[in-house]
Amino acid sequence: MARLVSVGMAVPPHEISQSEAKLFAKELFSRSFQDIQRLLPLFEHTGIETRRFSRPRSWFEKEHTLAEKNRAYIEMACQLGEEAIQRCLQPCNLDVNDIDHIIYVSTTGMATPSIDAYLVHRMGINPHVKRTPIWGLGCAGGVVGLARAFEAAQASPAHKVVLVAVECCGLTFRRNDLSKSNLVATSLFADGAAAALVVGDQVETDDFRSGPTMIGTMSTILPNSLDIMGWEILDDGLKVVFSKEIPTLVRKNLRPLVDEFINQHHLSLSDLDHYITHPGGRKVLEAYQEALGLSAEHFYTAYQVLKQYGNMSSVTVLFVLAEVLKQKQKKKTYGLVSALGPGFSAEFLLLKWDEADIGNKEELQGENLYYV
């Protein structure tokens, strides 16, 4: 079976603390909300301390056209994507020309040719590499992209497949959007990139013996939910659609869906060792806990990633997965990878560590990151 062997991460250079973001929001949104002081505590309630952005704070204090934002997106997607791929391949002693298939996931900018083509030219990747760009899945994109990478490696067992997810959520900021949805988005979203290497079972070297295999996947789109999450495309950019009903939908729908999925593989919640969950925000993680009857400890890694990096849309769950990969694993360990996205959709992927893995105890802010 195909195996996940490495995840590399990259973040942009501009770090903004949550306290600084709160002051920025106070200045901007007070024009729309007379009770802005009542709303500002949501910045503390997110569980976020710092976030990274592709542009400094001064950039957000000016108006920008959609064309300007998208040029910045292409620039940063290429930089962050390249760095994430380099970090992903480095521990496996691979060169970019060893890549057989690139899957590119993003929802925060547009490019034709797609960014994967830019990366082929930029990095000198084999011009015959297979490419699969995926757009529009939002926060669910990391799980979907990983599932497609596993399926591609299973279909072509001699191939090395690289998933690249890049999101520049900050570049979508619309300064003239003084809605509550945009205020919430201003408190949550950030920029980042991750790359994951999945290899088929005919790729046999010592560098690829550890890491989990994929047991199965499941996708679900909830009925009558198209207006829950997404973008509205306007002349000046992408307007965020972000319903306050998301935590309620998680509490109501998550447990039946998780049970349906893992029961297909003759498992129950007690069989799962890891909950590799996209941390959309603290309220969403708390809704996960309530729906599944679990403690915050089960989502510790997701909370830590949220705290240090914020919500990077599709990228964030791959940061959580990277941290789990560093941990020592026992034989026959199971992990549930999950994320929610536009549609309104739920995506699940079941991983299994077939052999004991010695792990790697690097810190979150250690050598596993590139700052571009």
Side-chain angles (χ1 to χ4, degrees), residues 77-78 81-82 85 115-125 164:
C78 290
E82 178 178 1
I85 291 172
I115 297 297
D116 44 281
Y118 280 82
L119 292 170
V120 169
H121 286 273
R122 182 184 179 99
M123 301 180 70
I125 297 171
V164 188

Side-chain angles (χ1 to χ4, degrees), residues 204-249:
E204 293 290 346
T205 75
D206 290 340
D207 293 315
F208 307 132
R209 293 189 184 279
S210 64
T213 58
M214 184 184 75
I215 304 301
T217 67
M218 189 175 84
S219 301
T220 303
I221 295 182
L222 300 181
N224 305 314
S225 62
L226 290 174
D227 59 347
I228 296 298
M229 181 191 296
W231 298 123
E232 182 180 351
I233 301 177
L234 302 178
D235 291 341
D236 63 342
L238 304 174
K239 179 180 180 179
V240 65
V241 177
F242 202 66
S243 172
K244 65 180 181 180
E245 298 300 318
I246 293 173
T248 301
L249 288 170

Side-chain angles (χ1 to χ4, degrees), residues 94-371:
L94 292 179
D95 183 79
V96 293
N97 281 313
D98 293 314
I99 301 172
D100 298 293
H101 190 160
I102 296 177
I103 298 173
Y104 180 78
V105 169
S106 187
T107 307
T108 47
M110 297 166 281
T112 303
S114 50
I115 297 297
D116 44 281
Y118 280 82
L119 292 170
V120 169
H121 286 273
R122 182 184 179 99
M123 301 180 70
I125 297 171
N126 182 348
H128 301 298
V129 68
K130 297 180 185 297
R131 299 186 293 122
T132 304
I134 303 176
W135 194 89
L137 291 169
C139 297
V143 180
V144 176
L146 193 60
R148 299 296 87 81
F150 269 106
E151 291 162 357
Q154 288 173 345
S156 300
H159 279 190
K160 304 176 188 73
V161 183
V162 171
L163 161 67
V164 188
V166 180
E167 302 289 5
C168 297
C169 303
L171 295 177
T172 68
F173 179 72
R174 296 173 61 250
R175 186 174 174 79
N176 64 351
D177 180 1
L178 301 179
S179 66
K180 190 171 182 180
S181 289
N182 198 33
L183 177 62
V184 173
T186 302
S187 74
L188 285 174
F189 290 113
D191 302 353
L197 173 65
V198 178
V199 301
D201 59 11
Q202 291 181 13
V203 179
E204 293 290 346
T205 75
D206 290 340
D207 293 315
F208 307 132
R209 293 189 184 279
S210 64
T213 58
M214 184 184 75
I215 304 301
T217 67
M218 189 175 84
S219 301
T220 303
I221 295 182
L222 300 181
N224 305 314
S225 62
L226 290 174
D227 59 347
I228 296 298
M229 181 191 296
W231 298 123
E232 182 180 351
I233 301 177
L234 302 178
D235 291 341
D236 63 342
L238 304 174
K239 179 180 180 179
V240 65
V241 177
F242 202 66
S243 172
K244 65 180 181 180
E245 298 300 318
I246 293 173
T248 301
L249 288 170
V250 174
R251 292 186 186 93
K252 179 181 178 181
N253 295 283
L254 184 68
R255 180 61 184 265
L257 291 174
V258 170
D259 284 342
E260 178 185 355
F261 175 49
I262 62 177
N263 288 346
Q264 293 172 7
H265 303 282
H266 309 290
L267 298 173
S268 65
L269 285 181
S270 62
D271 296 309
L272 300 179
D273 302 278
H274 299 290
Y275 292 86
I276 304 161
T277 302
H278 165 67
R282 194 174 78 175
K283 286 187 176 180
V284 175
L285 287 175
E286 289 172 349
Y288 263 85
Q289 292 167 217
E290 185 176 336
L292 299 178
L294 298 171
S295 68
E297 184 64 25
H298 289 90
F299 301 95
Y300 174 79
T301 305
Y303 275 111
Q304 289 299 109
V305 168
L306 181 67
K307 178 180 177 180
Q308 296 187 33
Y309 301 104
N311 181 343
M312 300 172 287
S313 191
S314 68
V315 174
T316 329
V317 73
L318 298 175
F319 272 48
V320 179
L321 179 58
E323 294 308 310
V324 172
L325 289 180
K326 297 173 190 175
Q327 301 168 10
K328 184 177 180 179
Q329 305 294 342
K330 296 181 294 184
K331 189 174 181 179
K332 295 185 178 179
T333 298
Y334 292 95
L336 176 67
V337 188
S338 61
L340 307 172
F344 184 60
S345 61
E347 298 290 340
F348 302 111
L349 186 151
L350 185 62
L351 297 177
K352 182 182 179 183
W353 282 258
D354 295 304
E355 299 179 3
D357 190 343
I358 62 172
N360 182 332
K361 290 297 182 180
E362 293 179 18
E363 294 295 327
L364 254 177
Q365 294 181 319
E367 296 179 355
N368 59 331
L369 288 178
Y370 276 113
Y371 298 85

Side-chain angles (χ1 to χ4, degrees), residues 11-25 42-44 46-55 60 169-170 173 182-192 305-312 365 371:
V11 291
H14 303 288
E15 180 176 301
I16 294 180
S17 69
Q18 194 71 332
S19 58
E20 184 179 358
K22 179 181 175 180
L23 289 175
F24 171 83
L42 72 88
F43 281 79
E44 286 87 15
T46 59
I48 297 169
E49 290 188 358
T50 56
R51 289 177 282 165
R52 273 77 172 182
F53 293 97
S54 301
R55 293 293 184 266
F60 298 95
C169 303
F173 179 72
N182 198 33
L183 177 62
V184 173
T186 302
S187 74
L188 285 174
F189 290 113
D191 302 353
V305 168
L306 181 67
K307 178 180 177 180
Q308 296 187 33
Y309 301 104
N311 181 343
M312 300 172 287
Q365 294 181 319
Y371 298 85

